[in-house]
């Protein structure tokens, strides 16, 4: 966990640096400060579980095992990126590691996650879908529409709100009647809970328990990970809506040194030299990623019209095979669903009648 969090931190620091050098264009939303959420979650679920995120989406795929060089190349808009440089910072997509995208539309991934969880249930799989979104997305209509459906159909999906306290430059408490976002789950009879998103071990335990709950067919979970971003909303944000003192105070709760201190106190026979060796290895890995991206070619103009539709019979393009020549033997395969029969009733009449009576609505 320490290694992964440090990788995420160093990657984002270098991404910010490359943005200021003009190597990354468009928007770039850094994950610095929130590493414990992605890493703790990833360690708690299975490699074949599904994951989606918003546009602050560099950390999650790296935690899943995506190639750092190819992620950085995608940020650079180079042809060796995961989406040939066409997705950029906000749209990382890695099917091999079951990471199904960052999305630039606020809250746009929330209903998509319900659809993926529906597919899992329809296919009689025991996979869980994890969906990350920011605190401001909790005020979108899609949030409420999806939660009603997900709870009604008992879909195996964990919604993790990364509450970093600011929707762009506005504090969540200024715009939300109920700023404790996990409490909104109660409106749908859904499980909701808050967790310390600055503690990777607490994130791990919370997500592990939620995943077991979902796999048992008990329905969705809304988890509010209370975290903090140390940088602005994006690289274009000077973050002058908060004081330097506030940021300095929050940095005292940095999840990376916190885990290091915990490990040292637990007597794991780890020394400062051990942690420094890990940090040097990850620094070199990120330096190599930047070098790889910088030396990668720009996409061909011919690529402009490719990958807009999938032709019948067209095979998936496997990015690591295309770019690195790595043979990917465990490429995901899914049943079409057409050969399956529905084994459950979406809207059971008997349960609806019982609900009417309980609510005092029956005649």
């Amino acid at each position: 966990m320490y290694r992964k969090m440090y990788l995420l931190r160093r990657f984002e620091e270098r991404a910010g640096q490359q943005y200021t050098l003009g190597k990354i264009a468009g928007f770039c939303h850094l994950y610095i400060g929130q590493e414990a959420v992605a890493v703790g979650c990833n360690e708690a679920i299975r490699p074949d579980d599904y994951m989606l995120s918003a546009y602050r989406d560099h950390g999650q795929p790296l935690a899943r095992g995506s190639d750092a060089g190819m992620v950085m190349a995608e940020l650079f808009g180079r042809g060796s990126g995961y989406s040939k440089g066409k997705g950029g910072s906000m749209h990382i997509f890695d099917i091999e590691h079951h990471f199904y995208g960052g999305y630039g539309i606020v809250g746009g991934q929330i209903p998509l996650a319900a659809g993926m969880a529906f597919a899992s249930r329809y296919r009689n799989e025991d996979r869980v879908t994890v969906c990350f979104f920011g605190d401001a997305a909790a005020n979108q209509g899609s949030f409420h529409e999806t939660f009603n459906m997900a709870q009604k159909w008992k879909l195996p999906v964990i919604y993790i709100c990364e509450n970093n306290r600011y929707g762009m430059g506005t504090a969540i408490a200024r715009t939300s009647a109920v700023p404790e976002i996990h409490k909104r789950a109660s409106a749908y009879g859904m499980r909701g809970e808050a967790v310390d998103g600055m503690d990777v071990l607490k994130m791990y335990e919370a997500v592990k328990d939620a995943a077991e709950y979902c796999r048992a067919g008990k329905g969705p979970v809304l988890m509010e990970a209370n975290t903090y971003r140390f940088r602005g909303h994006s690289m274009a944000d000077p973050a002058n809506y908060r004081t330097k003192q506030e940021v300095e105070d929050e940095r005292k709760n940095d999840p990376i040194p916190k885990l290091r201190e915990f490990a040292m106190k637990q007597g794991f026979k780890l020394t400062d030299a051990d942690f420094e060796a890990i940090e040097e290895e990850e620094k070199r890995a990120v330096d190599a990623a930047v070098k790889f991206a910088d030396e990668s070619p720009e996409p061909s103009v011919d690529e402009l019209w490719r990958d807009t539709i999938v032709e019948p019979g067209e095979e998936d393009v496997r990015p690591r095979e295309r770019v690195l020549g790595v043979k990917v033997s465990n490429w995901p395969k899914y049943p079409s669903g057409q050969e399956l029969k529905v084994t459950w009733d979406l809207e059971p009449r008997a349960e609806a009648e019982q609900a009417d009576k309980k609510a005092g609505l029956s005649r």
Side-chain angles (χ1 to χ4, degrees):
M1 289 183 180
Y2 186 86
R3 180 182 292 277
K4 284 189 175 183
M5 284 200 295
Y6 193 83
L7 167 65
L8 270 58
R9 175 67 57 86
R10 187 59 179 165
F11 183 97
E12 293 292 66
E13 288 173 346
R14 292 300 305 277
Q17 177 195 60
Q18 296 303 302
Y19 187 93
T20 60
L21 293 173
K23 299 293 182 66
I24 298 173
F27 290 100
C28 184
H29 305 82
L30 303 181
Y31 203 62
I32 295 173
Q34 301 181 209
E35 296 89 351
V37 182
V39 173
C41 171
N42 184 70
E43 296 302 300
I45 61 175
R46 296 193 325 224
D48 65 337
D49 286 328
Y50 305 136
M51 186 179 287
L52 304 88
S53 185
Y55 44 74
R56 197 180 304 280
D57 64 338
H58 313 157
Q60 293 97 348
L62 290 173
R64 295 238 87 184
S66 297
D67 183 85
M70 291 179 61
V71 175
M72 188 67 78
E74 188 63 35
L75 269 61
F76 276 45
R78 302 300 174 89
S80 56
Y82 269 96
S83 298
K84 303 180 183 179
K86 301 176 184 181
S89 170
M90 296 194 292
H91 305 287
I92 306 299
F93 207 96
D94 181 5
I95 293 177
E96 180 186 351
H97 293 98
H98 299 280
F99 184 77
Y100 289 86
Y103 292 85
I105 301 299
V106 176
Q109 71 278 21
I110 294 175
L112 296 180
M116 297 185 78
F118 179 91
S120 292
R121 188 170 181 193
Y122 183 76
R123 294 166 174 160
N124 298 311
E125 299 173 338
D126 66 343
R127 284 184 167 111
V128 168
T129 297
V130 175
C131 178
F132 296 93
F133 60 95
D135 45 276
N139 289 334
Q140 293 286 82
S142 59
F143 172 98
H144 301 280
E145 295 165 7
T146 301
F147 279 26
N148 179 67
M149 184 179 291
Q151 174 63 10
K152 182 65 180 176
W153 292 346
K154 296 289 188 278
L155 300 182
V157 55
I158 305 171
Y159 284 104
I160 300 180
C161 175
E162 296 189 270
N163 188 349
N164 60 27
R165 292 169 42 185
Y166 293 94
M168 294 189 73
T170 306
I172 183 68
R174 293 180 61 194
T175 60
S176 297
V178 182
E180 303 94 336
I181 291 167
H182 69 279
K183 292 183 178 179
R184 303 185 188 189
S186 62
Y188 306 98
M190 181 175 165
R191 174 177 165 180
E193 59 194 55
V195 60
D196 183 357
M198 303 299 278
D199 189 316
V200 70
L201 298 177
K202 289 180 180 176
M203 279 300 308
Y204 168 81
E205 294 294 343
V207 175
K208 181 180 179 182
D209 186 70
E212 292 173 356
Y213 178 91
C214 289
R215 291 191 216 281
K218 296 180 180 179
V221 176
L222 170 60
M223 185 176 296
E224 180 179 3
N226 290 302
T227 184
Y228 194 85
R229 54 172 167 81
F230 296 153
R231 303 285 288 269
H233 172 73
S234 71
M235 285 298 297
D237 174 20
N240 54 15
Y241 43 83
R242 58 188 187 182
T243 65
K244 290 183 178 179
Q245 187 61 51
E246 176 186 311
V247 179
E248 289 175 7
D249 289 344
E250 293 295 335
R251 282 189 178 276
K252 296 174 184 177
N253 199 30
D254 191 319
I256 298 176
K258 180 188 291 188
L259 182 63
R260 178 171 176 165
E261 181 180 354
F262 173 83
M264 299 280 278
K265 287 182 178 179
Q266 293 301 308
F268 292 150
K269 297 182 179 180
L270 292 168
T271 65
D272 285 332
D274 293 323
F275 285 105
E276 289 167 5
I278 290 172
E279 292 168 4
E280 284 302 317
E281 289 173 13
E282 297 310 314
K283 284 179 182 178
R284 288 196 295 270
V286 174
D287 288 345
V290 173
K291 185 175 186 292
F292 173 81
D294 206 24
E295 295 177 351
S296 294
E298 298 279 353
S300 165
V301 175
D302 295 337
E303 285 289 339
L304 184 63
W305 304 110
R306 292 177 184 163
D307 305 315
T308 54
I309 61 171
V310 179
E311 299 292 347
E314 182 180 345
E315 293 186 1
D316 285 332
V317 176
R318 305 183 182 188
R320 288 203 307 138
E321 287 189 4
R322 172 178 61 84
V323 175
L324 305 176
V326 176
K327 182 64 177 177
V328 178
S329 59
N330 59 340
W331 190 257
K333 294 181 180 179
Y334 307 106
S336 68
Q338 299 304 311
E339 71 278 16
L340 302 176
K341 293 182 179 180
V342 177
T343 57
W344 47 289
D345 191 350
L346 281 177
E347 299 168 355
R349 183 176 297 277
E351 288 184 14
E353 291 174 351
Q354 292 175 7
D356 274 355
K357 290 179 181 180
K358 187 175 180 181
L361 301 175
S362 59
R363 299 174 183 175

